[in-house]
Amino acid sequence: MTRVGIFGVAHIHADGYLANLESADHVKIVGVSETDDVLRREWAERHTEPIFATHEALIGAGVDAAIVCTTTNEHLAVVEQLAAAGVHVLCEKPLATTVEDSQAIVDVCAASDVLLMTAFPMRFNPSLAAGHVWIDEGRIGEILAFSGTNQGRIPTHYAEWFADPIAAGGGAVMDHVVHLVDILRWWTDSEPVEVYALTNRILHPDVAVETGGMVTVGFGNGVFATIDCSWSRPDGYPTWGGLTIEAVGAGGVFTIDAFAERLDVWSHGDAMWTDWGSDANEAMVDHFIGAVRGEHPLAVTGVDGLRATEVALAAYRSVAAGQPVEV
Amino acid sequence: MTLRVGIVGAGNMATVHADGWGAAGDSIIAVLDADAERAAEFAAATGGRVADDLDDLLRSVDVVDICTPTDTHLNYVLAGAAAGVAVACEKPLARTGDGARSAVAACREAGVPLLVGHVVRFFPEYVEARARVAAGDIGDVAVVRLDRSTYLPAGASAWFKDPARSGGVVHDLMIHDVDYAAWIAGTVTRAYARLAGSIDGGDHVLATLKHEGGAISHVQASWAFPVGSFRTSIEIAGSEGLITRHAADPFRSLVAVSPDVPDVPAPPTSGESPYVTQIRHFSDVLQGKATSRIAPEDAAAAVDVCDAIATSIESGQAVQIGENL
């Protein structure tokens, strides 16, 4: 039995991870910790698992592995406690709100010899895995460029802190740049070297962070990519958003809609897209548990989270400079 | 009233324009082309005559329609203005923004109309999307995505494949969406872009634009797509809603892919060719029945933005637009 706890429920994914853990083999869900009274009470109304008022208490109950779902700015403090207790960590993305904190998360886990995985479920999306194979096999020849979108509804519908400059470290850029950066690093086996970004606050002008963003990333191998990270899906959109990527090569083109496995559902009310395909979050959680058991190395590490976060933070520097900046 | 039209340049676009003038009930009176044989064939097909020279053509027409290689547009526009003849001109208005602005100034001073062929402003899906924006259906425009991805036609002329003469994929293809972006999201104030070239010369460009008022545009133009493909898409996100029109949707965008297709296929259309709609509109403008949908200044601004995109590609820096104009 692998004993697992969920640390913090501020992130919307905590509910989904709990379901993923419930369906995993040989996993004991020790409980959940949440220091915020309101969030803890709301969680307890939805779930029956034990909920602790401090992270120490959950660690004290005996856990081998943790999924960290606090607000982004609290990741470091929680991971420090977990690493000190020898607990392996799957941390929500982005890793932290600053490069320093992200680096510290990586360092403390390395020093304590615990696993650190960043929650990049798209690594476990079958279409994107196929794209990786296509590129490796040279099916579209030498890669010229990518254009990617990771657009969504404003996530304040789930939790206000996603648009809090302190808790989230920013808005659409912090929320949606890192997934595509991680996919592109994975696909190209090259590191981002230059970032140019434009942002605005025309969508949902009532929030204190950027809601529109367009980021161009240059990689060390000369390939470039654009990432549209905008919260540009209106409330009436049939789903939360989506992720697409188009690869243009000297010998062809392919486009992936990572969430194409869906049904369009119409009713007298709002239209809805429902998923019927594989669950990337479930595959990611299973992979993490397997790595904790020593069955395989981690496919996605804390360093991957650090590199992606560096690009998101470079985007803000570029916006301030009005020019491309080095990563 | 039947306009007397003189066409300069008897290539592919001239044939497309001639269909439009014919549909408008106007007459091709004269044609001029460096290739005498091609000029004769065009004259025979359209009912006009081959002009002796440019002066001869300009003396006999109400409007000169310029369908020549991009880098020659400016001289013909200036000649038309000097002769007091109305000018229609295929896009881009000129090879450079400086040239385009001098063309606008010359026509204004001469008091002749200048009508530039930004045909996307006549494609029904683009017209409808702009109408929805103008009606306020999606609130303030925030993030725009425009795409025009195809391949370099096998039969492309030497001038077309020479970026020094045509401006390449930016000035020839991306300019359509650069103009449209400005039409719906406002004047472009800054451009940043990167270009990748494939082995067979099919360039691929991704540009991001900043508009006055704060909107952002992402514009993709490509000649690096597989032979036979032609794809366009529109996405306009606003403070109150979202408009999308993607390539895989019926009815216009998807064209059968075949390795043997010699030229960029004309997209299927449910109604009149937008090229014909455009020329009929030009005819109406010249007869005082309509106000031009394309201000000459807009056509010049589109070339300025393309210049900035090209400069950004060269320098690796973002380029401010309009600072030194």
Side-chain angles (χ1 to χ4, degrees):
Chain A
M1 272 298 185
T2 306
R3 300 168 302 166
V4 186
I6 296 177
F7 289 75
V9 300
H11 200 288
I12 178 66
H13 289 161
D15 285 84
Y17 293 147
L18 184 69
N20 297 148
L21 290 170
E22 282 168 348
S23 64
D25 292 332
H26 306 298
V27 165
K28 175 180 167 52
I29 301 168
V30 179
V32 172
S33 58
E34 176 53 60
T35 57
D36 183 272
D37 293 340
V38 174
L39 286 177
R40 197 168 59 247
R41 195 163 55 242
E42 287 173 356
W43 176 277
E45 286 167 9
R46 294 199 302 274
H47 302 284
T48 55
E49 286 75 12
I51 182 149
F52 299 82
T54 67
H55 302 311
E56 292 84 347
L58 177 53
I59 292 171
V63 293
D64 306 307
I67 304 180
V68 176
C69 291
T70 62
T71 58
T72 307
N73 64 326
E74 292 177 356
H75 285 174
L76 173 58
V78 178
V79 173
E80 282 175 339
Q81 288 177 271
L82 292 165
V87 178
H88 302 295
V89 177
L90 168 58
C91 187
E92 251 309 329
K93 61 84 205 169
L95 214 46
T97 59
T98 66
V99 172
E100 293 72 23
D101 281 9
S102 304
Q103 184 70 58
I105 287 172
V106 169
D107 291 345
V108 73
C109 289
S112 305
D113 207 20
V114 298
L115 296 175
L116 172 61
M117 181 177 183
T118 310
F120 284 138
M122 290 297 97
R123 293 259 194 160
F124 303 90
N125 176 283
S127 300
L128 294 167
H132 184 231
V133 170
W134 273 45
I135 287 175
D136 266 6
E137 292 179 350
R139 298 251 196 124
I140 60 167
E142 183 198 352
I143 299 297
L144 303 179
F146 299 97
S147 42
T149 66
N150 187 188
Q151 305 149 315
R153 291 182 193 148
I154 190 166
T156 50
H157 294 298
Y158 308 119
E160 290 289 336
W161 71 266
F162 280 112
D164 181 325
I166 304 298
V173 169
M174 283 304 273
D175 189 30
H176 275 171
V177 167
V178 291
H179 285 299
L180 278 159
V181 170
D182 183 64
I183 292 163
L184 294 167
R185 288 181 62 251
W186 173 40
W187 279 9
T188 63
D189 199 22
S190 183
E191 291 296 341
V193 293
E194 188 179 69
V195 173
Y196 175 77
L198 294 171
T199 61
N200 64 22
R201 291 176 52 192
I202 298 171
L203 307 158
H204 307 284
D206 48 317
V207 300
V209 292
E210 79 286 352
T211 49
M214 200 69 72
V215 180
T216 308
V217 184
F219 287 82
N221 65 356
V223 169
F224 57 89
T226 54
I227 298 172
D228 183 341
C229 60
S230 305
W231 288 338
S232 54
R233 271 43 200 156
D235 296 351
Y237 200 67
T239 189
W240 63 271
L243 185 145
T244 70
I245 184 163
E246 176 168 281
V248 178
V253 175
F254 69 78
T255 303
I256 291 174
D257 174 351
F259 295 92
E261 294 177 335
R262 64 180 174 240
L263 297 179
D264 297 1
V265 181
W266 310 93
S267 69
H268 295 303
D270 289 339
M272 186 171 64
W273 290 347
T274 59
D275 302 326
W276 49 259
S278 58
D279 180 344
N281 281 338
E282 183 175 280
M284 176 181 74
V285 169
D286 287 347
H287 177 86
F288 172 63
I289 300 299
V292 167
R293 290 179 186 144
E295 293 167 4
H296 50 241
L298 283 176
V300 197
T301 66
V303 172
D304 292 321
L306 168 64
R307 295 286 171 259
T309 306
E310 285 171 344
V311 172
L313 292 165
Y316 292 108
R317 286 193 282 121
S318 171
V319 168
Q323 286 293 345
V325 297
E326 287 180 20
V327 180
Chain B
M1 164 181 174
T2 300
L3 294 171
R4 297 170 300 160
V5 182
I7 294 192
V8 184
N12 292 336
M13 287 316 299
T15 302
V16 172
H17 282 209
D19 289 346
W21 293 115
D26 299 317
S27 296
I28 310 293
I29 295 293
V31 60
L32 195 66
D33 193 286
D35 182 335
E37 193 178 330
R38 190 162 78 160
E41 285 173 12
F42 187 87
T46 58
R49 67 179 177 89
V50 177
D52 297 340
D53 54 27
L54 183 61
D55 286 342
D56 174 39
L57 180 141
L58 291 172
R59 270 196 302 272
S60 59
V61 300
D62 303 308
V63 53
V64 58
D65 183 2
I66 300 162
C67 297
T68 56
T70 296
D71 60 334
T72 68
H73 287 179
L74 176 58
N75 283 339
Y76 289 116
V77 174
L78 296 178
V85 171
V87 177
C89 183
E90 191 38 60
K91 61 82 208 162
L93 174 53
R95 174 62 188 80
T96 67
D98 286 344
R101 275 176 277 107
S102 66
V104 173
C107 289
R108 191 192 302 121
E109 283 160 24
V112 304
L114 172 59
L115 303 163
V116 183
H118 281 288
V119 72
V120 166
R121 295 197 186 202
F122 297 89
F123 273 68
E125 65 270 46
Y126 290 83
V127 172
E128 175 64 13
R130 182 168 186 271
R132 298 275 60 83
V133 171
D137 290 357
I138 62 162
D140 296 330
V141 173
V143 184
V144 178
R145 300 181 64 82
L146 301 168
D147 167 37
R148 195 163 298 271
S149 296
T150 182
Y151 60 100
L152 196 58
S157 313
W159 74 267
F160 187 82
K161 290 194 275 193
D162 178 1
R165 299 198 63 194
S166 70
V169 72
V170 172
H171 285 75
D172 197 82
L173 189 67
M174 185 175 268
I175 195 167
H176 285 297
D177 295 298
V178 163
D179 174 64
Y180 187 71
W183 202 33
I184 56 169
T187 302
V188 178
T189 57
R190 197 208 292 169
Y192 175 78
R194 294 201 54 173
L195 176 147
S198 66
I199 297 157
D200 58 1
D203 286 341
H204 180 78
V205 175
L206 300 177
T208 59
L209 309 176
K210 185 177 181 180
H211 298 262
E212 206 169 72
I216 299 167
S217 291
H218 179 277
V219 186
Q220 169 167 325
S222 187
W223 280 335
F225 270 48
V227 168
S229 54
F230 180 76
R231 188 189 74 184
T232 62
S233 69
I234 308 166
E235 180 176 311
I236 310 168
S239 56
E240 303 299 326
L242 172 71
I243 295 169
T244 65
R245 204 272 163 215
H246 287 298
D249 300 345
F251 160 38
R252 171 175 303 282
S253 50
L254 205 59
V255 175
V257 175
S258 157
D260 304 320
V261 176
D263 274 311
V264 178
T269 174
S270 58
E272 179 180 76
S273 160
Y275 292 92
V276 169
T277 311
Q278 172 181 253
I279 297 294
R280 284 200 300 104
H281 171 75
F282 287 176
S283 179
D284 286 346
V285 170
L286 295 175
Q287 296 177 67
K289 299 175 190 168
T291 305
S292 176
R293 189 178 295 185
I294 306 160
E297 292 76 11
D298 289 0
V303 186
D304 275 327
V305 176
C306 288
D307 286 357
I309 289 168
T311 302
S312 176
I313 289 167
E314 286 289 316
S315 69
Q317 296 290 296
V319 176
Q320 294 292 136
I321 298 160
E323 282 186 336
N324 303 314
L325 302 183

